[in-house]
C-alpha cells in the first residue's frame, strides 16, 4: 500500500486543515501527520494558541489520520520517509516546490489551499471581541 505523509502546526483546527488531510489520505491508503511541536513552531516563527499535546490529540482523532508524530525539526522529513517507508509527501500549495529536494525519495504532491479560512484570520476575528 501507499503511505502519504504531511506536516503542519494545525493550530485552531479548521476546515482547511481537514480538507488537506482528507484529500491527501485519498492519494494512498495510510496517512501520517507530523504535528509541529511548540518549540519547532518558535523556529518557524509561529506561536500557536493551542498547546502541542492538544493539537496532537485532535489530529490523532481524525478518521483520515493513521498516525500522528511530532515534528520538531526541518531535517526530519528524509528520516521519516525512511522510517515509515513513505511514498508521497503532500503539502498545501503555499509550500509549492519547497520540498522538491526530496523528489528522489518520494513523490511530491501540492494541493490547493482552502480559500477563506486560516488560523491567522481566525485570530484576527477573535481579537476583535
Ligand atoms: N492549509 C490549507 N488551507 C488553509 C490553511 C492551511 O490547505 N486554508 C494547509 C497548509 O497548506 C498545510 C496544512 O494545511 O499543508 C497545515 O497548515 P499549517 O498548520 O499552517 O502548517 P505550516 O505551519 O505551514 O507547517 O514542515 C512543514 C511545516 O510544518 C508546515
Amino acid at each position: 500500500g501507499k503511505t502519504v505523509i504531511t506536516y503542519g502546526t494545525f493550530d485552531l483546527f479548521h476546515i482547511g486543515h481537514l480538507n488537506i488531510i482528507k484529500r491527501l489520505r485519498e492519494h494512498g491508503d495510510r496517512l501520517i501527520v507530523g504535528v509541529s511541536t511548540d518549540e519547532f513552531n518558535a523556529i518557524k516563527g509561529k506561536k500557536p494558541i493551542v498547546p502541542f499535546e492538544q493539537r496532537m490529540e485532535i489530529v490523532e482523532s481524525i478518521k483520515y489520520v493513521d498516525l500522528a508524530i511530532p515534528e520538531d525539526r526541518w531535517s526530519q522529513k528524509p528520516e521519516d520517509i525512511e522510517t515509515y517507508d513513505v511514498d508521497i509527501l503532500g503539502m498545501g500549495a503555499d509550500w509549492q516546490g519547497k520540498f522538491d529536494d526530496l523528489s528522489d525519495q518520494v513523490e511530491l504532491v501540492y494541493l490547493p489551499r482552502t480559500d477563506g479560512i486560516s488560523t491567522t484570520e481566525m485570530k484576527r476575528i477573535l481579537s476583535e471581541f
Side-chain angles (χ1 to χ4, degrees), residues 1-66:
K2 277 203 171 185
T3 296
V4 186
I5 199 164
T6 191
Y7 297 83
T9 300
F10 301 104
D11 192 23
L12 298 176
F13 198 87
H14 55 63
I15 193 64
H17 297 138
L18 185 60
N19 282 340
I20 192 138
I21 282 174
K22 186 172 14 175
R23 291 171 185 160
L24 285 175
R25 176 65 180 72
E26 287 160 12
H27 280 72
D29 39 38
R30 183 170 76 143
L31 175 63
I32 300 170
V33 180
V35 179
S36 311
T37 61
D38 294 337
E39 298 76 14
F40 183 53
N41 270 299
I43 292 169
K44 293 199 291 186
K46 283 186 145 180
K47 191 172 180 347
I49 288 184
V50 178
F52 169 71
E53 291 70 22
Q54 294 178 27
R55 292 185 284 108
M56 272 290 276
E57 188 172 353
I58 289 167
V59 170
E60 279 168 349
S61 306
I62 296 167
K63 65 182 178 181
Y64 306 110
V65 176
D66 298 282

Side-chain angles (χ1 to χ4, degrees), residues 8-10 36 44 46 71 77 92 94-95 113-114 117:
T9 300
F10 301 104
S36 311
K44 293 199 291 186
K46 283 186 145 180
E71 180 192 29
K77 294 186 179 67
D94 47 317
W95 291 92
R113 283 171 62 92
T114 300
I117 185 95

Side-chain angles (χ1 to χ4, degrees), residues 77-121:
K77 294 186 179 67
E79 297 159 22
D80 293 343
I81 289 163
E82 290 306 315
T83 305
Y84 299 104
D85 194 19
V86 173
D87 301 284
I88 299 170
L89 168 58
M91 294 300 297
D94 47 317
W95 291 92
Q96 182 76 41
K98 295 287 189 307
F99 302 121
D100 290 1
D101 57 305
L102 298 172
S103 61
D104 54 331
Q105 271 187 284
V106 281
E107 178 187 347
L108 278 303
V109 168
Y110 298 102
L111 298 178
R113 283 171 62 92
T114 300
D115 288 336
I117 185 95
S118 72
T119 304
T120 309
E121 176 63 11

